[in-house]
Amino acid sequence: MTRTGRYLLDNQRTEAGERFDAFATLFDPTTFRHLDGLGVGLGWRCWEVGAGGTSVVSWLSKKVGPTGKVVATDIDISRLTGAVRPPVEVRLHDIVTEQPPAEGFDLVHARLVLVHVPERERALSSMVKALRPGGRLLLEDADPALQPLLCPDEHGPEQQLANRLRQGFRKLLADRGADPSYGRRLPRLLREAGLHGVEADAYFPLTSPACAALESATVRQIRADLVAAGLATDEDIDRHLTNIASGGMDLATAPMISAWGRKA
């Protein structure tokens, strides 16, 4: 996101930490598998865009070792302070309005970032520019329009309420410039950006404690926005949070599509 944007999910909120923890549990194994496949190793220079939390940054720092470099950037670095030690450098940075923090990176990675950035084409160009020849770009973004339901098995009133609130959440995101169909376009966009050897896959968690934790934190964080927009009542939200806590619903996330390629 950009400093001038209207990001719905502010990192300063208490719930943001819960969301980052849930994202790490849900998506780190997939992300780390792709990074390993790209060959990340000792001496690599890496740029983690929109880092938010520390899990990917910490993993990269161990992989690149003391001879490497990990530059972690975000418009809000308050949750990255614990990662500030060699080889990690943390910078306040706007992916849209500012030049890349450096050039000649072996790897640039962004997870669940560009879907929220209205000027995503400019951001993608900046990331490609920052790569050295032969450098790798790994982009991972959600595609809520590909699977829009919180409860794909909508068999009762609890699931119907959950899906109605998820629809409200998606409307709030779209009103702030998010693109709910962005993830599916990543392979084409990487090819159009001139990258070679482009591949992609998708991960779709359907039921887990982390899915429930993510949904609870998200709804609590956007509660006031849902109510103010007339998309839900406080009673709706209280009932939904109670339903989540009961553990009786199968809660999904939007599919996360990972796409990667190499700069010529």
Side-chain angles (χ1 to χ4, degrees), residues 146-189:
L146 190 62
Q147 194 298 106
L149 302 177
L150 179 62
C151 296
D153 180 19
E154 191 182 77
H155 71 278
E158 296 87 355
Q159 291 75 21
Q160 292 166 6
L161 173 61
N163 287 338
R164 179 162 63 83
L165 294 182
R166 175 54 59 92
Q167 184 178 10
F169 176 39
R170 289 178 57 210
K171 184 179 188 310
L172 291 175
L173 287 174
D175 288 346
R176 287 160 173 77
D179 182 351
S181 303
Y182 187 66
R184 73 190 72 177
R185 293 201 285 273
L186 287 175
R188 172 175 58 83
L189 294 173

Side-chain angles (χ1 to χ4, degrees), residues 6-233:
R6 299 174 296 144
Y7 188 36
L8 180 65
L9 300 163
D10 186 353
N11 288 357
Q12 294 287 341
R13 295 282 300 274
T14 301
E15 295 87 357
E18 299 175 45
R19 286 171 48 79
F20 288 142
D21 289 344
F23 283 142
T25 300
L26 289 167
F27 299 126
D28 277 1
T30 297
T31 295
F32 297 162
R33 174 171 59 86
H34 289 314
L35 292 173
D36 266 331
L38 293 176
V40 177
L42 292 176
W44 275 45
R45 300 180 69 250
C46 305
W47 178 17
E48 181 67 14
V49 181
T54 62
S55 64
V56 176
V57 173
S58 297
W59 187 93
L60 286 171
S61 70
K62 293 175 183 176
K63 284 289 186 177
V64 306
T67 60
K69 184 80 171 179
V70 178
V71 180
T73 65
D74 206 329
I75 58 167
D76 180 351
I77 58 175
S78 58
R79 297 186 180 276
L80 290 169
T81 54
V84 183
R85 55 183 176 277
V88 175
E89 177 183 340
V90 173
R91 296 191 191 181
L92 193 67
H93 180 264
D94 187 321
I95 182 62
V96 171
T97 64
E98 298 177 274
Q99 291 296 311
E103 295 188 10
F105 286 106
D106 300 291
L107 169 78
V108 176
H109 173 244
R111 185 173 77 187
L112 304 175
V113 174
L114 294 187
V115 67
H116 296 289
V117 177
E119 305 88 345
R120 53 189 63 86
E121 291 183 6
R122 190 183 308 170
L124 175 56
S125 296
S126 179
M127 287 187 273
V128 173
K129 176 183 177 181
L131 289 168
R132 66 165 176 82
R136 272 71 167 175
L137 176 64
L138 171 61
L139 296 182
E140 301 182 294
D141 256 307
D143 194 315
L146 190 62
Q147 194 298 106
L149 302 177
L150 179 62
C151 296
D153 180 19
E154 191 182 77
H155 71 278
E158 296 87 355
Q159 291 75 21
Q160 292 166 6
L161 173 61
N163 287 338
R164 179 162 63 83
L165 294 182
R166 175 54 59 92
Q167 184 178 10
F169 176 39
R170 289 178 57 210
K171 184 179 188 310
L172 291 175
L173 287 174
D175 288 346
R176 287 160 173 77
D179 182 351
S181 303
Y182 187 66
R184 73 190 72 177
R185 293 201 285 273
L186 287 175
R188 172 175 58 83
L189 294 173
L190 265 58
R191 287 194 301 272
E192 291 177 351
L195 299 186
H196 293 256
V198 173
E199 298 181 55
D201 65 13
Y203 174 59
F204 174 32
L206 183 59
T207 298
S208 78
C211 287
L214 177 60
E215 173 63 9
S216 175
T218 300
V219 169
R220 285 183 280 114
Q221 184 164 353
I222 66 170
R223 177 180 193 130
D225 298 281
L226 287 169
V227 173
L231 298 168
T233 65

